[in-house]
Amino acid sequence: MKKHYYSMNIEEVLGSLNTSGNGLDEEEAEQRLDKYGRNEIEKRKTVTPAKIFFRQFTSFIVIILFIAIIISLLVGERLDAIVIAIILFLNGIFGFIQEYKAEKAIESLRKLTALKASVIRDGNETEIDSRELVPGDIIMLETGNKIPADARLLQLALLQVDEASLTGESTPSKKITEKLDKDTAINDQENMVFMGTIVTKGRAKAVVTSTGMKTEIGEIAELVQEVKEKLTPLQESLKQFGKWLGIVTIVICAFVFGVGVLREYLMLDFLGLNNVTEMFLASVALAVAAIPEGLPAIVTISLALGVNKMARRNVLLRQLPAVETLGCTNVICSDKTGTITKNEMTVREIFTSKNLVKVTGEGYAPKGDFILNGQAAADSINMDLLLRIGALCNDSRLNRNEKWEIFGDPTEGALIVSAAKAGLDKAGLEKIYPRVGEIPFDSERKSMTTVHDYNNGKIAYTKGAPDIIIDKCKYIYNDGKVDDLSEETRKYILSINQDMAGRALRVLGFAYKELSGTKIQTGDNLIAQNLEKDLVFVGLQAMFDPPREGVKESIEKCKAAGIKTVIITGDHKLTAVAVAKELGLYREGNIALSGDELDKLSDGDLDKMIENIKIFARVSPEHKVRILDALKSKGHTVAMTGDGVNDAPALKKADIGIAMGITGTDVAKEASDMVLTDDNFSSIVNAVEEGRGIYNSIKQFVQYTLSSNLGEILVIFMAILIGWPLPLIAIQILWVNLLTDGLPGLALGLDPHSKDIMKRPPRKREEKIISRDVVYNIAIVGFVMMIGTLFLFYSYGTESIKAKSIAFTTLVMFQLFNVLTYRAKNFRINLKTSKYLVGSVIITVILQIIVLYTPLSSAFKTVPISFLDWVKIIAVSVSIYAILEIRKIIINFLIRKKAKEKTAG
């Protein structure tokens, strides 16, 4: 029977689950995991390997070929039937391996993007995979978290939860910790939180009551099963193109069959069943070889393998279509803190009253000195109060494992460290000044306030953006006295702030308000009680956050690739400009706008300026949407970063929404197209590079496949039109298809992409994968293959088996020289970067030699060919390599010439 934890008090809940506020120990958690199972919703049975394998033989044209095999057996052509069946089976194996790899790759991505949970184990807060949660675990929740399991609330601060996914209620539920009546409906269980719902405000501590299929959402699991994955736009367009090409190919093959049969009848005055069967087999085999049914599957494989490659470069793609869009990206809007900079904050300067104090020390180790005018600063009540506010108005913690580490926000961590350097331990301070209320930080107020017990009364500590804090202050703290904050002093403090910001320091202001005699209420009323009004200003703390290594080079790479980088930050404008100048991102003529300045601009004025704006500072999430609209109105394809709950609309609206894996909220991650596991700007650039490479590989495969298929169709079609015998029989057509579409085609996606891929401009959004240039290339290859193959077929006498063997081998070699052009530059191929392709070509040649010179030749109706024959075949087939390379040189010359003319003009 399910327990009603909402109707129990906190002590009863903890006792029933045999846990405590310090959480479970690891051993107990492992035992409970064995007992209750993983915390996950069971999925419908996934596609089995057997289904994937049999799916390779279900297409209409393959079924027709199976019927043709049966007919061959009935007329006594057993060897032909067996060989064709074996080739079809090998084709099926090849298709199965690739599709199975794609399924596994996509499944591994789901595991990589699994949510994390903040849990207390052995008395310490740590982060684990949410699937490892068990009943009795103590979890910590904060704004933006997706709740990982059903849980009973123990402590909270202004907690509100969006439960629309479970209850249908659009208004967030305000939570409490008190027990409720037994018959309370799920919509009214205000002391419970449920798996899959979202924390929209506040923070809380809760005990897990149910996991996995035992949760409320687990019990209605049929409603939350994953829907069938949609095809990407590229897959959809190729699928439609494949259908159209399939119809055209079937019509051509039907024509080949009809004309071939008619020719046999006119020549022999009768129709032999064997002749009809041979022509029917050849026509169907040609259709199997020519119809690119595998194109959408190959796109899936290329995307999935590429996405796995991206994961190794710290980028998790949540949506496959994002790979296609990455190649079009020409603007990256990036946050500064933690993305362009390291997010390893260290307090370097402190301003109190009229003193500017330097702080020494590196990293998070609480070791360092306070220097005033070149000497050790004497202890002062001003500095003591400033550091105390920084430590107490703070949700992070400083822990020492193998090294000193911050658990929580790095900016808050820096404040704890600066206090610890002065001997002020946060845990000790919290015992003396216990927190009794808070107003969490939000991007609108740009401040945070906590309320503490203090001298038989209460005191509010506030921190935030200096200009915001100054506006909230009426007084200033000066050596134990509280004076009025004059306009002159206000301007002086702001000038100190500007000086610090201009030296790339991140600055926070600190203030307090004594609440003695005031009755403090909990919940939302804290804001209504004007705790952030008429404050006493105490001082500033300025932190240095160094730029990440490699970011400057990545920004240069963006410039070379035609990608504009824009900084969007909540920091002071001068801080952002100083960092941008250091990275070569901000030059004379560029514009930096603050959120206030942006508000004063009309949409028309913003549109006129948007191309020159490099920095948006002190912006809110709503500003991000407006910036996006302005950039997109200019035709840009925009990638934008975000980490907060309120960033979700901008992330969804961006062409590529990028969430932070370390500092990002669950809401931001779920709204994004991709997640950076290291929060690093360079990883965005890596993703763009990989996206371009993946798209280029797919484009090359499509071009190679269609050009080779056209060559095969034209060889057979033209021979029939001329009145010649078939240059290739069914077995040979299928073998060519297996050989050339197999290893060489796959190798195009395995070898690393071209090094100059980030020296090209972004692809236009409207550009089709089968562009005019691709069509020209396909046509050239197809016609050259046809002319060369039929020329040798004719020169050896069209009736002999040797002539067919020559045509058969020529077609294979044509396709191999064709595929080599995709890795060639000025007739040269880099063996180091093309090892898979070159290796696949060598293996293909060896397999063709086996078919020609071993007993298999009788099955394939071939005869051995001489060295001189090989010379002729290579001399003819290498022509495609020469023609395509010369074409590339001419096109590149014309592009450079056009670019020079444009620059000169």
Side-chain angles (χ1 to χ4, degrees):
M1 182 178 173
K2 194 168 184 177
K3 292 184 179 180
H4 297 153
Y5 291 105
Y6 59 84
S7 64
M8 302 179 188
N9 62 38
I10 290 172
E11 291 74 19
E12 290 172 335
V13 172
L14 294 174
S16 176
L17 292 164
N18 194 22
T19 187
S20 72
N22 290 325
L24 304 172
D25 59 43
E26 288 293 345
E27 186 179 348
E28 176 65 21
E30 284 182 22
Q31 290 174 3
R32 294 193 186 192
L33 188 62
D34 290 337
K35 179 180 178 181
Y36 295 106
R38 283 181 174 272
N39 176 38
E40 56 189 0
I41 303 298
E42 292 175 8
K43 305 275 191 307
R44 288 196 187 104
K45 200 170 183 181
T46 54
V47 180
T48 63
K51 273 187 181 178
I52 294 173
F53 178 71
F54 286 114
R55 200 157 60 194
Q56 309 305 313
F57 307 99
T58 55
S59 71
F60 171 72
I61 206 74
V62 171
I63 291 169
I64 290 178
L65 193 53
F66 274 123
I67 294 169
I69 290 170
I70 293 168
I71 294 170
S72 294
L73 288 171
L74 292 175
V75 299
E77 296 289 342
R78 290 183 181 179
L79 186 59
D80 281 7
I82 291 169
V83 173
I84 291 172
I86 289 170
I87 293 173
L88 270 180
F89 181 75
L90 291 173
N91 255 323
I93 291 285
F94 181 77
F96 163 76
I97 290 169
Q98 298 313 311
E99 199 170 330
Y100 184 71
K101 274 185 179 178
E103 288 283 340
K104 285 294 180 185
I106 291 168
E107 184 60 34
S108 69
L109 290 177
R110 292 194 189 105
K111 290 177 182 176
L112 283 170
T113 54
L115 295 175
K116 302 293 183 183
S118 185
V119 61
I120 295 177
R121 293 268 176 93
D122 293 318
N124 296 315
E125 189 172 342
T126 185
E127 196 174 66
I128 64 170
D129 189 322
S130 63
R131 294 175 298 178
E132 307 297 318
L133 283 176
V134 294
D137 262 329
I138 304 298
I139 56 174
M140 306 301 291
L141 304 171
E142 58 184 27
T143 303
N145 282 166
K146 188 172 187 179
I147 294 168
D150 288 2
R152 171 69 158 85
L153 291 165
L154 305 177
Q155 298 171 14
L156 56 80
L158 300 177
L159 187 70
Q160 292 187 16
V161 179
D162 180 356
E163 296 179 342
S165 61
L166 183 65
T167 66
E169 292 288 338
S170 58
T171 306
S173 171
K174 295 179 182 178
K175 295 299 181 178
I176 61 174
T177 56
E178 292 78 14
K179 73 176 185 177
L180 303 169
D181 295 335
K182 269 193 176 180
D183 297 327
T184 304
I186 189 170
N187 298 46
D188 301 317
Q189 290 176 18
E190 295 171 341
N191 59 5
M192 297 287 294
V193 289
F194 303 101
M195 184 187 216
T197 57
I198 302 291
V199 179
T200 58
K201 187 177 182 181
R203 59 191 184 87
K205 184 178 184 180
V207 58
V208 174
T209 56
S210 305
T211 58
M213 298 303 288
K214 298 294 183 183
T215 61
E216 292 293 336
I217 209 161
E219 290 180 356
I220 52 171
E222 285 299 314
L223 300 180
V224 293
Q225 290 291 344
E226 288 185 31
V227 295
K228 186 178 179 182
E229 289 185 15
K230 293 180 180 178
L231 294 176
T232 73
L234 179 57
Q235 288 171 304
E236 190 63 53
S237 65
L238 284 176
K239 185 179 179 182
Q240 295 305 319
F241 176 77
K243 282 181 180 178
W244 174 82
L245 193 60
I247 292 168
V248 172
T249 302
I250 289 171
V251 170
I252 292 173
C253 292
F255 178 81
V256 167
F257 174 70
V259 171
V261 169
L262 181 62
R263 190 196 64 194
E264 289 292 322
Y265 176 73
L266 292 175
M267 287 175 62
L268 303 173
D269 287 334
F270 73 93
L271 279 178
L273 186 57
N274 285 347
N275 292 334
V276 173
T277 303
E278 182 185 351
M279 190 59 66
F280 181 67
L281 276 173
S283 301
V284 176
L286 185 61
V288 171
I291 295 173
E293 287 183 309
L295 281 185
I298 286 295
V299 171
T300 304
I301 293 160
S302 298
L303 292 176
L305 293 177
V307 167
N308 267 344
K309 198 186 292 184
M310 284 192 192
R312 292 194 291 272
R313 300 187 75 176
N314 303 311
V315 176
L316 299 182
L317 256 81
R318 301 185 67 255
Q319 310 288 342
L320 281 184
V323 179
E324 300 171 31
T325 312
L326 279 168
C328 308
T329 301
N330 56 12
V331 176
I332 298 174
C333 293
S334 174
D335 191 11
K336 178 184 71 67
T337 305
T339 308
I340 285 176
T341 60
K342 288 185 176 181
N343 207 14
E344 293 177 0
M345 301 287 184
T346 306
V347 174
R348 291 289 174 85
E349 294 181 6
I350 287 175
F351 172 77
T352 60
S353 185
K354 296 177 181 178
N355 292 326
L356 187 63
V357 179
K358 303 285 185 183
V359 184
T360 65
E362 295 294 333
Y364 295 131
K367 297 177 182 178
D369 299 313
F370 297 86
I371 309 296
L372 177 62
N373 298 325
Q375 297 180 346
D379 291 339
S380 73
I381 53 176
N382 285 22
M383 194 164 72
D384 183 82
L385 178 57
L386 174 62
L387 296 173
R388 187 200 315 159
I389 296 172
L392 289 172
C393 186
N394 198 311
D395 289 328
S396 295
R397 286 173 312 289
L398 177 64
N399 296 329
R400 184 169 190 176
N401 297 315
E402 293 180 4
K403 60 178 182 177
W404 290 98
E405 295 176 330
I406 289 298
F407 200 100
D409 180 70
T411 302
E412 290 194 327
L415 300 177
I416 297 173
V417 172
S418 67
K421 287 175 181 177
L424 298 175
D425 174 59
K426 186 188 179 193
L429 289 172
E430 286 174 335
K431 290 176 182 177
I432 302 170
Y433 308 100
R435 187 187 297 191
V436 293
E438 67 184 88
I439 307 174
F441 174 86
D442 70 51
S443 55
E444 294 298 322
R445 290 173 25 258
K446 290 185 171 60
S447 59
M448 171 184 177
T449 295
T450 56
V451 180
H452 303 262
D453 284 333
Y454 172 77
N455 291 346
N456 299 319
K458 301 280 189 293
I459 191 166
Y461 290 143
T462 301
K463 76 169 188 287
D467 46 341
I468 303 293
I469 296 297
I470 283 288
D471 284 344
K472 296 175 186 286
C473 290
K474 187 177 181 181
Y475 310 100
I476 185 168
Y477 187 78
N478 192 356
D479 294 330
K481 296 184 297 179
V482 176
D483 300 323
D484 288 338
L485 180 61
S486 67
E487 190 61 31
E488 184 182 352
T489 305
R490 192 185 298 270
K491 288 179 179 177
Y492 175 67
I493 294 168
L494 287 175
S495 71
I496 294 292
N497 172 47
Q498 286 203 318
D499 175 65
M500 289 174 166
R503 290 182 283 117
L505 297 176
R506 189 179 197 193
V507 192
L508 289 178
F510 299 82
Y512 76 93
K513 181 178 184 178
E514 288 194 17
L515 306 169
S516 303
T518 305
K519 185 180 178 182
I520 299 300
Q521 299 175 6
T522 57
D524 286 336
N525 289 328
L526 278 175
I527 297 175
Q529 290 175 73
N530 293 321
L531 297 188
E532 295 181 350
K533 184 180 179 183
D534 296 337
L535 301 178
V536 180
F537 181 79
V538 178
L540 306 172
Q541 292 199 55
M543 289 151 273
F544 180 65
D545 184 15
R548 284 182 178 270
E549 293 174 6
V551 165
K552 190 169 186 177
E553 291 78 7
S554 293
I555 289 170
E556 289 301 321
K557 190 184 281 189
C558 282
K559 288 178 185 175
I563 300 170
K564 174 184 174 184
T565 305
V566 177
I567 291 179
I568 299 181
T569 179
D571 268 358
H572 195 285
K573 183 165 74 174
L574 292 177
T575 305
V577 168
V579 171
K581 282 181 176 177
E582 186 177 341
L583 295 171
L585 191 57
Y586 189 85
R587 292 189 173 93
E588 192 175 341
N590 293 147
I591 300 170
L593 278 185
S594 68
D596 290 340
E597 291 168 333
L598 181 59
D599 287 333
K600 292 172 185 175
L601 289 177
S602 67
D603 288 341
D605 289 337
L606 179 60
D607 286 346
K608 291 174 186 175
M609 298 170 63
I610 193 70
E611 298 289 7
N612 289 321
I613 301 174
K614 283 287 189 176
I615 295 168
F616 293 92
R618 284 278 192 263
V619 295
S620 67
E622 289 74 21
H623 287 137
K624 285 188 171 184
V625 175
R626 193 176 172 205
I627 294 163
L628 263 176
D629 287 337
L631 286 167
K632 292 178 83 169
S633 71
K634 295 290 185 182
H636 291 299
T637 300
V638 187
M640 178 171 278
T641 66
D643 54 12
V645 176
N646 294 334
D647 285 331
L651 290 174
K652 284 182 178 177
K653 191 160 192 172
D655 297 295
I656 297 284
I658 305 168
M660 302 297 109
I662 299 171
T663 59
T665 59
D666 295 339
V667 173
K669 290 173 187 175
E670 296 219 330
S672 69
D673 299 294
M674 71 185 211
V675 179
L676 304 182
T677 58
D678 61 352
D679 292 8
N680 193 337
F681 177 83
S682 295
S683 295
I684 303 174
V685 182
N686 291 341
V688 172
E689 185 175 351
E690 288 296 341
R692 288 187 177 192
I694 292 165
Y695 189 89
N696 198 49
S697 294
I698 293 170
K699 186 174 182 177
Q700 288 178 345
F701 180 85
V702 170
Q703 185 171 309
Y704 166 67
T705 301
L706 295 182
S707 60
S708 296
N709 290 358
L710 179 64
E712 293 168 21
I713 291 173
L714 289 177
V715 166
I716 304 296
F717 182 67
M718 192 56 63
I720 291 291
L721 279 184
I722 294 170
W724 293 348
L726 288 174
L728 284 80
I729 59 174
I731 298 169
Q732 294 168 348
I733 294 169
L734 291 172
W735 179 252
V736 170
N737 186 58
L738 174 66
L739 231 58
T740 57
D741 281 7
L743 292 175
L746 179 63
L748 283 174
L750 293 177
D751 281 322
H753 51 72
S754 171
K755 286 184 178 180
D756 66 353
I757 203 161
M758 288 296 279
K759 293 178 182 176
R760 308 171 194 168
R763 193 180 78 252
K764 289 182 180 177
R765 193 77 179 267
E766 64 274 11
E767 181 185 309
K768 303 291 184 186
I769 195 163
I770 303 172
S771 60
R772 183 183 298 177
D773 181 66
V774 170
V775 171
Y776 288 158
N777 187 284
I778 290 170
I780 291 168
V781 172
F783 279 96
V784 171
M785 278 188 186
M786 176 197 72
I787 293 166
T789 303
L790 291 182
F791 168 73
L792 286 179
F793 180 57
Y794 175 76
S795 64
Y796 279 83
T798 58
E799 299 292 338
S800 67
I801 294 178
K802 185 168 185 178
K804 289 180 186 285
S805 301
I806 293 290
F808 176 33
T809 306
T810 302
L811 201 52
V812 169
M813 295 307 297
F814 257 128
Q815 297 196 21
L816 295 182
F817 279 116
N818 179 24
V819 80
L820 286 173
T821 62
Y822 294 102
R823 287 290 180 268
K825 186 174 182 180
N826 296 329
F827 290 93
R828 291 191 296 273
I829 295 174
N830 187 327
L831 295 178
K832 285 184 180 180
T833 58
S834 306
K835 58 184 178 182
Y836 288 113
L837 184 64
V838 173
S840 69
V841 168
I842 292 169
I843 292 170
T844 302
V845 171
I846 291 170
L847 290 172
Q848 181 66 13
I849 288 170
I850 289 170
V851 164
L852 291 171
Y853 298 101
T854 69
L856 279 175
S857 62
S858 59
F860 281 87
K861 305 289 196 304
T862 62
V863 293
I865 57 178
S866 68
F867 176 76
L868 184 60
D869 297 330
W870 273 107
V871 171
K872 291 178 182 178
I873 289 169
I874 291 171
V876 169
S877 56
V878 79
S879 63
I880 195 67
Y881 185 82
I883 290 168
L884 293 179
E885 281 305 290
I886 290 167
R887 182 174 182 265
K888 280 195 282 186
I889 291 169
I890 293 170
I891 289 172
N892 288 334
F893 171 76
L894 292 174
I895 290 172
R896 285 195 297 271
K897 184 180 177 184
K898 191 175 180 181
K900 283 181 182 178
E901 289 172 354
K902 190 176 180 181
T903 305

